[in-house]
Amino acid sequence: MLGLMRSAILVEPGRIELREVPAPQAPPGGIVVRVRAALTDGTDLKAYRRGHPQMPMPTPFGHEFSGDVAAAGAGVSRFNVGDAVMCVHSAPCGACYWCGHGQEELCESVMSTKILGAYAEYIEVPAHIVEQNCYRKPPGLSYVAAAFLEPLSCVVHSIEYAGFAKGSTVAVMGDGGFGILHAALLQDYGFRAVLFGRREERLALARSLGVGEVVDARTQDPAAAIRSLTQGRGADGLIECTGRQDVWEQAPQLVRRGGVVSFFGGLPAEARVAFSAARLHYDEVRLVSPFHFTPRAVRRAYELLAQHRFDPLPLVTQTVPLAQVAAVFERLDGGEGVKFAIEP
Ligand SMILES: [Zn+2]
């Protein structure tokens, strides 16, 4: 039995408190993970700033993590106490209509059965996640790198879902953590990625991750820049990672005839967007909008990390102890840093 633990609670937007709460117990088929690294993420920042429909407050906080198995419930055979593990915070049910039609990212219970509370000493991981979306962390991979399993799964799913043709030139709009991850992984997959951003240090960071072409959107018009890089055609593909309505609405103009626009960065639920119907119809511009990820994408992300095909560590601005979670979100809210690693 584990006793009390410290857990960061998002009490209301803008207010995080470190509280002493009972540590979780391992449920049948599930495990309790002693968190060794947890990452901040854009979704967390959104919830911190303005609340989140999926996170009624007060709520445990944080969802990207890795750690060690501290307890295993009855019937767990894949993991033993002491194993280092990397997990994502959700898994599909395997039984609903969507799971039966190969669209597990849309599983009707994948959101309601997800777990939160990675900014804590321990987190409970239930059976359905242990069975599908937990992996043993290789000894040569750091806990911080392993905690990238969840964001990388989102990006793997996003790129595969868009279905870009081999050799495509893909514009990535936005130099946040997800924009940079997309551009770096596209490059790794053999596509030509062009990253558009507005902050010099982030564009430099993308370069250090192997992104060959970056464009400062403050000084260069994206439409003109894309035309000049594609002999006037427009990009073969585009991934929207800013979550800004004006960028969503401009996106179909930036791809070539027959190009693909993928909207990754979500807009507020009440947003309405407008596109030229002629552009979609006569120019066959295809619009897609990937959501979440599948267990297959998680496995692929695991392989990329475990085989050191992809090193995400340059994205980590700083590593801090659990007591600094509130301070870290103040800094993120002020525009500082990309991702912080919390070590509880
Ligand atoms: Zn399902």
Side-chain angles (χ1 to χ4, degrees):
M1 291 277 280
L2 305 163
L4 290 174
M5 68 165 184
R6 290 175 308 145
S7 175
I9 306 292
L10 182 58
V11 180
E12 59 185 28
R15 190 163 140 234
I16 297 169
E17 282 180 16
L18 209 55
R19 290 186 182 168
E20 290 247 307
V21 300
Q25 309 302 322
I31 58 176
V32 172
V33 172
R34 171 73 178 91
V35 180
R36 296 297 177 194
L39 300 170
T40 64
D41 163 77
T43 307
D44 296 339
L45 181 58
K46 258 195 242 172
Y48 173 83
R49 280 176 170 160
R50 59 174 193 236
H52 195 287
Q54 306 265 3
M55 293 169 66
M57 293 176 200
T59 175
F61 200 27
H63 66 277
E64 301 175 358
F65 66 97
S66 68
D68 300 318
V69 177
V76 174
S77 55
R78 286 189 61 209
F79 300 105
N80 297 306
V81 170
D83 284 348
V85 291
M86 44 206 283
C87 311
V88 298
H89 71 310
S90 75
C93 75
C96 72
Y97 183 87
W98 289 268
C99 283
H101 287 77
Q103 293 177 299
E104 294 150 304
E105 71 275 24
L106 299 177
C107 167
E108 57 187 21
S109 61
V110 74
M111 284 292 114
S112 60
T113 60
K114 73 182 186 303
I115 53 171
L116 296 172
Y119 306 144
E121 289 173 282
Y122 297 93
I123 187 167
E124 176 188 327
V125 183
H128 71 298
I129 299 178
V130 170
E131 282 157 17
Q132 300 176 76
N133 283 343
C134 276
Y135 292 90
R136 203 166 264 111
K137 182 185 80 62
L141 189 70
S142 69
Y143 286 104
V144 174
F148 273 87
L149 184 64
E150 199 269 346
L152 202 56
S153 298
C154 293
V155 175
V156 166
H157 173 69
S158 165
I159 292 173
E160 292 182 358
Y161 188 86
F164 302 122
K166 200 163 173 257
S168 284
T169 295
V170 182
V172 178
M173 312 310 285
D175 57 6
F178 272 120
I180 297 173
L181 272 178
H182 268 96
L185 198 59
L186 282 164
Q187 199 83 28
D188 185 78
Y189 279 6
F191 298 107
R192 176 192 183 198
V194 184
L195 179 70
F196 289 80
R198 309 181 70 86
R199 277 166 289 189
E200 228 159 79
E201 72 278 8
R202 293 197 173 195
L203 294 173
L205 177 60
R207 270 214 189 82
S208 76
L209 278 161
V211 179
E213 290 165 280
V214 300
V215 177
D216 190 332
R218 291 169 308 180
T219 54
Q220 277 178 276
D221 170 46
I226 288 173
R227 275 197 305 272
S228 78
L229 289 166
T230 58
Q231 296 162 314
R233 278 190 307 271
D236 300 305
L238 179 148
I239 302 180
E240 201 303 307
C241 294
T242 69
R244 278 176 39 181
Q245 178 151 356
D246 57 331
V247 182
W248 270 60
E249 294 187 334
Q250 186 191 20
Q253 302 302 326
L254 301 178
V255 296
R256 66 167 170 81
R257 300 178 68 225
V260 181
V261 173
S262 178
F263 298 105
F264 180 86
L267 298 179
E270 66 279 8
R272 295 289 180 271
V273 286
F275 306 118
S276 151
R279 182 78 181 129
L280 305 194
H281 182 70
Y282 295 103
D283 291 338
E284 275 193 353
V285 169
R286 191 157 63 88
L287 307 184
V288 299
S289 197
F291 172 69
H292 206 57
F293 47 75
T294 60
R296 199 170 61 86
V298 179
R299 169 164 290 281
R300 183 87 184 113
Y302 165 74
E303 289 166 355
L304 288 167
L305 291 167
Q307 297 164 5
H308 300 277
R309 277 266 309 276
F310 187 77
D311 175 19
L313 289 180
L315 282 164
V316 177
T317 305
Q318 195 187 340
T319 299
V320 301
L322 186 59
Q324 286 185 29
V325 174
V328 154
F329 274 88
E330 274 178 37
R331 291 166 69 185
L332 285 164
D333 190 32
E336 194 187 328
V338 183
K339 284 173 95 70
F340 286 83
I342 316 289
E343 288 184 340

